[in-house]
Amino acid sequence: MVIRHKGLLAGVVAFLLAIAAFMLIDTNGNNPDAVLTLNIEPGWHVNANPASMEFLIPTVVNSSVNGQALEIPTQYPRGRVSDIVLGDTALEVYDDGASIRLRPDGKQIAVLEKVGRLEMIVRAQACSDEGVCLAPTDMPVALNLDDTSRQ
């Protein structure tokens, strides 16, 4: 009998899926967007948001400041239609380089500038292109506004 430790699986997922970059992008004089770019190892992917089927785990970003939820509107990219088909449905997935855009409003920007830090939990389920899926995992990510330059 093989017993796998949950922490080991979470470590594998974190290795396969990491947050590659965060940038604040000025949207033509409007509030800046925060762009989270996924770094996914070759041969792996995560489900798009929305997921292609009800029982699949979509990639989701939840934001908070000092432990308090901050409902920032989040724009998920359209997934790539993969070669993986369940029933009659080809799954839409995110590969390396997929970017998720957080679009804070003026009030949220003021809170973030005051605190100087945005915390997020990225929930995703990494799957190999051969169809082997790991358990979903929550990956904490923090954006220190002092370390991020606007572009």
Side-chain angles (χ1 to χ4, degrees):
M1 178 165 80
V2 176
I3 299 175
R4 294 188 182 186
H5 189 271
K6 185 177 180 181
L8 175 62
L9 287 178
V12 170
V13 172
F15 175 74
L16 295 172
L17 172 65
I19 307 310
F22 242 118
M23 298 183 299
L24 289 180
I25 298 178
D26 190 347
T27 55
N28 299 321
N30 299 321
N31 295 326
D33 292 349
V35 178
L36 176 126
T37 303
L38 301 178
N39 182 5
I40 302 172
E41 291 290 318
W44 291 83
H45 61 269
V46 295
N47 289 315
N49 186 330
S52 301
M53 302 179 93
E54 189 174 302
F55 66 89
L56 297 174
I57 308 295
T59 298
V60 177
V61 177
N62 290 304
S63 304
S64 63
V65 172
N66 292 332
Q68 298 295 315
L70 187 62
E71 299 294 327
I72 297 176
T74 305
Q75 181 180 3
Y76 296 93
R78 182 176 177 129
R80 171 184 65 82
V81 177
S82 72
D83 295 334
I84 300 170
V85 178
L86 295 177
D88 293 333
T89 304
L91 303 186
E92 289 191 30
V93 300
Y94 296 149
D95 296 309
D96 186 45
S99 293
I100 299 169
R101 188 174 294 257
L102 287 80
R103 309 193 87 166
D105 62 22
K107 184 176 178 182
Q108 292 167 331
I109 292 281
V111 168
L112 293 171
E113 287 177 345
K114 181 178 178 184
V115 175
R117 180 178 172 93
L118 173 64
E119 294 118 14
M120 288 151 290
I121 299 291
V122 179
R123 181 162 182 77
Q125 182 175 23
C127 298
S128 72
D129 292 343
E130 286 79 38
V132 175
C133 293
L134 303 176
T137 190
D138 294 336
M139 295 165 284
V141 180
L143 170 62
N144 292 314
L145 297 177
D146 296 336
D147 298 339
T148 306
S149 60
R150 293 185 185 207
Q151 296 184 358

